[in-house]
Each structure stands twice: as structure tokens, then as C-alpha cells.
Amino acid sequence: MLPRIAVIGCGPTGLYTLKGLVASTTPLSITIFEAEGEPGKGTPYHPDINDPAMLSNIPSIEFPALTETLVQWLERQSDLDLARLAIAREAIDGREFYPRVVLGEYMRDQFLALVAIGARNGHAIEVLERHRVTDIALQADDIRLKVERADGSHLDAVYEHVVMATGHNWPESTEIRPGYFVSPWPATALGAIGTVPVGILGTSLSAIDALMTVATARGAFCFDAAGDLQYQPAPDTEGFHVTMMSRKGLLPEADFYCPLPYETPKVCTVEAVDALIATGRHDLLNDVFELFRQEILAADPEYADRIGLSQLNVESFAPAYYAERTQSDPFVWAATNLAETQYNRERRYTVPWRYAILITHEVVARVVNHLDETDLKRFHRYFKGIFIDDYATVPLMSIRRLLALRCAGKLDILKLGEGYEISEKGVARGVAVTVGGERHVFDAFIDATGQETLSATDLPFPTLVAQGGVRRSATPKAGALMAEDGSVEMVRTGGIDIDDLYRPKLSAPLCDRLYCAAISFLLHKQPFVQGITSACEIGETVSAAILSDVDTEGRVPLFQLSA
């Protein structure tokens, strides 16, 4: 009997897991469960979820190849298909950004190719679309799944390995009150918004996605005779206006040119951070910040001097980092940053300090699992956002669209600060937002702040939760000292407690071949896990772990007991 493996979800993480599995020389039985139709596209790239105007924030050069690169796939498409995708053949480029739905088409095609490769390699692959896994039960030697079919009937099945690649966790109902949307997805739900004042909570790519959906439904972007992008409102849309809002009131910056793959840091290196971890201490954040500070100083002394880097610490770096942007009008800054970025791209010039932050974010992330309670809170509150702001830049076209909407009088930015209130009291639809005593009323309001970190109790599998085997992640208590037996007093935090192979750490003698590859449950201890590259890394790790277990005569331990 072939080793039985189930993959729950066939978005990017499921795809890269499948890629690793089908490369095995040992025949496998692989069942893929996908709640939606067309497995392979995934929620962030599915045409039923996303508007064609939504752009991905990963250039094709950074998209890890499946059976071929994204550029190779685009180049072999017919002229008719490229026209359908609204892509000019001469514009295909490794550093170009494409609509989310285009990436969905690519991944769907790659999924079908992987299934075909798997069949040729002797694997038995069953693809069950519109099958939703509703429960997971860990047993002594295997894992039982309960699955709901499209017709409402159910099936039970048992597997030796189960990969939980369920991706993002969005609410089933988007409009929870009249005019109040808790997510920009599915984009079709936003079609209910009329020609009214719209508020969008957030200014990052998710918020820009929401903005593009409502804006393209009420007008069109076009280039004028000078080659500048303009927004032309549709007739009778005078009442349509959008206000994006966030605590800082800042827009993301344009994707900057840099060498790929990443260069190796000079000071804040893997070896240096691992040496700190090896000390066994848990109050490591100040030491890691010092490595980070020295990295920026080595890369860009002029920038270090400009922001007074020598006098900064974990708490004060962010205010210095944002100082110039916060003192400028966000649209003026966006226009200036866009011009600078375009100029640097043409010269293939990389801004040293930006790149220093970019190449150190994954190195700094290595220490997060080892921080104590106090330093973990400091990291999340003061330090994490710097890296996210630096790597979560957006396509240049997204900035051009924001500026076009601003010029058309259709877009404002509202800085919320800390003391603001969002309330539905006194409004029939949407919300009222009060900032500094001023009340702003929006007939439609979209929360576009992105995926929240979920914990073990948020798992949508009641038996798995009731078993108590899957625990919330933990971190050493502040000031905790190691006992004689090597134990350290721990404090439960968010997310799911997993090992290096993405297996939940179990507190009961149950099968340990469940792999938690769902990003929403990993964010607390892996704060920079995001997007396609993370999906690839997770899929590679999980598939390698499964193949190691399958191909090893001495099986890995079935039980993993808590310390």
C-alpha cells in the first residue's frame, strides 16, 4: 500500500509542497483537497476573489519557478491569450509586476503540469475540488479527515501525513453590517458599494487592492497625450470619494531596484545572530539591534549620520526612520519617491540603506523564537514594522494610480494617530470615524488591514482543538532562569507551537505527521512569513520532511511529548 498523503488547500503553499512530493522516486498516494474550484490558483490569485485591477507585489524574477518560470510561461502564451490577460508581449520582463489573476492562471497551469509529472513518476494523485475539510482528528498512528463534498454529503478518510496548507483565513461573510466590509475579498462583494464616500482602513497593498476595486468600477485609468496616467470618473459618480486611513497616515513606497538574489550582510549575519542565540540568553533584542545598526552604518554612513543612528535604540529607530515621511504630505512624498525609484531603476542603482534593511530582515527573524516575553513585545511594537515597510513596497503602477486618483479629486489620506474612534452609532450604513474631535462619516467602510495572527483555538477543525494536542506557541517568561533540569518557565503567546518541520508540538501521544503550513497560524513567531517566497520555503521544508519519513527505514518517532 502506498504511503497516503493529504494536502489540504492548493494555493501557493500546497503547490510547492506538491512540487517536492512528485519529485520523489518512491511512489506515493497523494490526495489534494481544494474547497474552491480550479485548484492551484489560491485565494490571493483567484478570479472569483480578486479584481483584475489588483496587482501582485512580487516581480516575476522573485517568483520561485514551479515547472517553469513565470516569464517563460508568459513568453510561450499565444498573442490571443496575452491580449486576454492584458499583457503586451514586448512588456514581458523579469522585474515586471502582473495582476493577481495572471499569477493565478500561471499557477493553475503549473498545477496541472505537476499532476502530470507526478503520474509519470508513478504517483497516484487524486484531486478533489470543491471538497472542504471540516475536521481533523489525530489518532495514534495516523490522521482522520472529515470532508464535505459540494453536494453536502460527507466522507471520512485516513492518511499517514496531512499538510494543512489552508492559506489565509477570511470570513465567510464580508459585509457584516450594512456598508461595513471586514475584508476587501472577495472583490465581488464590494460591488454593493454605491457612488458614496468610502473609507478604507489601511494604506498598504491590501488597502490599495480595495481602492482599485471600487475605483475601476466607477471610472477608468488612461494615459494622456504626454504619457501621464490619469483617472477619468464615470458619469454620475460625483458622490464617489475614497479616504484611506492609518495610524501614521503614510503611503507605502515604490518597489526599489536591488540585486537579486540577496547579497550577504557584512555585519548582521546568520553566524553573528546564531552566536547570540547559542548563549542561551533570551534578552537578545538589544544585541541584535546593535548588529543591525552596524550593518546600516557599514552600508550607508551618510544615511546613518542623517538620522543620528549612533544615538538610536530599538524604541527610537522607527521615529527616526519615518521622520522625513511624516513631515511631508503623503502624496508629495509618493510623487518624489516614485520619481527617485524610476530614476534608480533606469540607472540600476540600489539605495544602500534600503537594501541593508531588506537583506537583514530574515536574519533578524532568526532570533524571534528565542526572545523572552519582554523582548518579544518590544520587537513586535517597535522594530518589526521597519522591516515590513521596507520589503512591502508596491508596484510603481500602484503609486501612479494613487496619484492619478488624487489629481482627480477622488482620494484623501487620513492620519488616525492613537486616539481615534470607529463607530456605527448614528449612521444607517458604514461608520463614523472620529479623529481629534472631527467626525468623518463614510457610507461604506472597508477594513483592509490584512490577515490577523491566529492561534490554536482558532483552528477550523473542532476535534483537533478539543483534543488539546495542538498548543499555542510559547516564549520564555521575562527574567526566567534555567532550572537545573534545563527547563525554562514559558508564557503562551499567539500562533501555533511548531517545530522546525512545521509540525505542531504535541502534548499528547498522537500521530505527529500533521504539518501546519497555514501562514495565518505562523505569523506570531515568524513575523516576516508572507507571499510566494515564504510559500515556497514552507512547501520545500514540509515535502522534504515527508519524503524523509517515507524513505527512511527507521521511521521518525510517532510521538513527540512535551518537555
Side-chain angles (χ1 to χ4, degrees):
M1 187 173 179
L2 300 181
R4 303 193 68 200
I5 302 163
V7 179
I8 306 172
C10 198
T13 307
L15 264 182
Y16 287 105
T17 302
L18 178 62
K19 176 185 177 181
L21 293 176
V22 300
S24 172
T25 56
T26 300
L28 308 170
S29 172
I30 305 170
T31 303
I32 298 164
F33 295 99
E34 174 55 55
E36 307 296 333
E38 298 183 288
K41 291 188 173 181
T43 301
Y45 310 101
H46 202 288
D48 292 344
I49 305 294
N50 298 273
D51 190 274
M54 294 178 173
L55 293 176
S56 69
N57 68 335
I58 180 170
S60 54
I61 193 174
E62 293 187 49
F63 200 121
L66 287 154
T67 68
E68 60 188 329
T69 67
L70 175 57
V71 164
Q72 288 170 335
W73 179 81
L74 285 169
E75 288 177 339
R76 69 176 180 82
Q77 300 306 301
S78 68
D79 290 342
L80 185 63
D81 282 332
L82 287 179
R84 177 177 58 83
L85 297 172
I87 294 175
R89 187 173 296 278
E90 61 273 15
I92 296 174
D93 184 84
R95 291 185 179 267
E96 187 57 75
F97 294 86
Y98 298 101
R100 290 180 181 270
V101 294
V102 171
L103 270 61
E105 294 260 351
Y106 162 73
M107 290 190 290
R108 168 65 175 172
D109 197 60
Q110 298 297 287
F111 167 72
L112 296 175
L114 287 172
V115 171
I117 290 170
R120 291 199 300 270
N121 288 352
H123 304 299
I125 301 179
E126 184 177 23
V127 180
L128 299 178
E129 62 182 53
R130 303 196 186 281
H131 281 60
R132 183 180 298 276
V133 176
T134 58
D135 206 2
I136 298 175
L138 301 179
Q139 303 181 140
D141 300 318
D142 50 32
I143 303 169
R144 181 176 295 276
L145 303 183
K146 184 176 182 180
V147 183
E148 182 179 355
R149 300 185 181 96
D151 62 5
S153 63
H154 292 84
L155 66 87
D156 282 3
V158 175
Y159 299 90
E160 295 176 19
H161 298 83
V162 172
V163 182
M164 195 174 73
T166 48
H168 291 82
N169 188 63
W170 304 118
E172 290 187 11
S173 178
T174 302
E175 190 176 7
I176 58 172
R177 297 194 303 271
Y180 191 104
F181 300 82
V182 292
S183 168
W185 295 284
T188 51
L190 304 184
I193 296 175
T195 306
V196 297
V198 179
I200 298 178
L201 183 61
T203 54
S204 65
L205 186 65
S206 296
I208 295 174
D209 283 341
L211 172 63
M212 292 306 114
T213 300
V214 295
T216 54
R218 293 155 186 82
F221 293 97
C222 56
F223 289 97
D224 62 19
D228 295 323
L229 188 69
Q230 305 290 341
Y231 177 74
Q232 181 62 50
D236 302 320
T237 58
E238 291 79 10
F240 169 64
H241 183 275
V242 178
T243 300
M244 302 174 76
M245 62 196 80
S246 66
R247 282 186 172 86
K248 293 184 177 70
L250 302 178
L251 290 171
E253 297 198 305
D255 181 73
F256 58 89
Y257 178 85
C258 66
L260 295 168
Y262 292 164
E263 295 177 355
T264 302
K266 296 180 177 65
V267 182
C268 190
T269 63
V270 169
E271 294 77 13
V273 171
D274 285 354
L276 289 174
I277 294 171
T279 65
R281 293 168 41 224
H282 300 289
D283 56 339
L284 299 173
L285 190 57
N286 288 342
D287 292 335
V288 171
F289 178 81
E290 182 58 31
L291 293 173
F292 168 78
R293 177 164 56 183
Q294 292 301 322
E295 183 70 37
I296 293 181
L297 178 61
D300 199 332
E302 182 181 343
Y303 174 77
D305 182 63
R306 188 166 78 245
I307 67 170
L309 182 61
S310 63
Q311 303 301 313
L312 302 179
N313 55 29
V314 171
E315 285 77 10
S316 60
F317 182 81
Y321 171 88
Y322 287 114
E324 292 183 61
R325 282 165 71 184
T326 55
Q327 293 167 10
S328 175
D329 178 277
F331 294 103
V332 172
W333 185 271
T336 303
N337 173 250
L338 177 64
E340 175 195 2
T341 303
Q342 184 63 53
Y343 180 66
N344 290 341
R345 280 178 173 271
E346 293 169 357
R347 292 192 303 152
R348 301 174 69 87
Y349 171 75
T350 302
V351 178
W353 66 266
R354 293 185 191 275
Y355 194 51
I357 296 175
L358 182 65
I359 64 176
T360 56
H361 81 273
E362 292 178 347
V363 179
V364 170
R366 298 174 71 86
V367 81
V368 174
N369 281 339
H370 305 275
L371 296 178
D372 66 20
E373 179 186 15
T374 298
D375 271 3
L376 184 62
K377 289 180 180 178
R378 292 174 68 214
F379 172 81
H380 282 293
R381 181 174 181 180
Y382 300 109
F383 202 27
K384 177 179 71 173
I386 295 302
F387 298 103
I388 295 175
D389 181 75
D390 189 71
Y391 71 65
T393 51
V394 299
L396 275 64
M397 179 56 74
S398 294
I399 301 297
R400 293 189 183 101
R401 289 172 172 176
L402 291 173
L403 294 172
L405 283 164
R406 175 65 172 180
C407 289
K410 293 296 185 181
L411 179 62
D412 283 326
I413 300 292
L414 177 63
K415 180 179 178 179
L416 296 175
E418 297 297 332
Y420 66 92
E421 180 185 34
I422 299 176
S423 173
E424 69 273 19
K425 294 179 180 178
V427 293
R429 296 183 60 83
V431 301
V433 178
T434 304
V435 182
E438 186 174 355
R439 193 167 185 261
H440 308 264
V441 177
F442 303 101
D443 290 0
F445 185 80
I446 307 167
D447 186 334
T449 51
Q451 177 66 68
E452 294 182 350
T453 300
L454 301 180
S455 196
T457 53
D458 297 311
L459 284 163
F461 308 115
T463 300
L464 187 60
V465 174
Q467 285 178 312
V470 177
R471 308 176 302 183
R472 288 183 298 159
S473 61
T475 198
K477 186 176 181 179
L481 299 176
M482 185 178 293
E484 291 184 3
D485 63 358
S487 65
V488 176
E489 188 176 0
M490 306 292 281
V491 177
R492 296 296 173 197
T493 58
I496 289 180
D497 207 3
I498 58 172
D499 63 17
D500 291 340
L501 302 179
Y502 293 94
R503 300 177 302 184
K505 294 181 179 179
L506 305 179
S507 55
L510 299 168
C511 177
D512 71 345
R513 296 191 186 97
L514 173 68
Y515 300 84
C516 180
I519 286 177
S520 52
F521 294 97
L522 306 177
L523 288 168
H524 192 75
K525 283 299 190 75
Q526 298 187 28
F528 305 132
V529 62
Q530 46 82 39
I532 297 292
T533 53
S534 293
C536 177
E537 292 166 3
I538 295 170
E540 288 176 346
T541 299
V542 169
S543 59
I546 294 172
L547 296 184
S548 176
D549 178 63
V550 168
D551 295 338
T552 303
E553 289 184 6
R555 311 273 288 181
V556 296
L558 282 176
F559 308 136
Q560 183 174 349
L561 301 178
S562 60

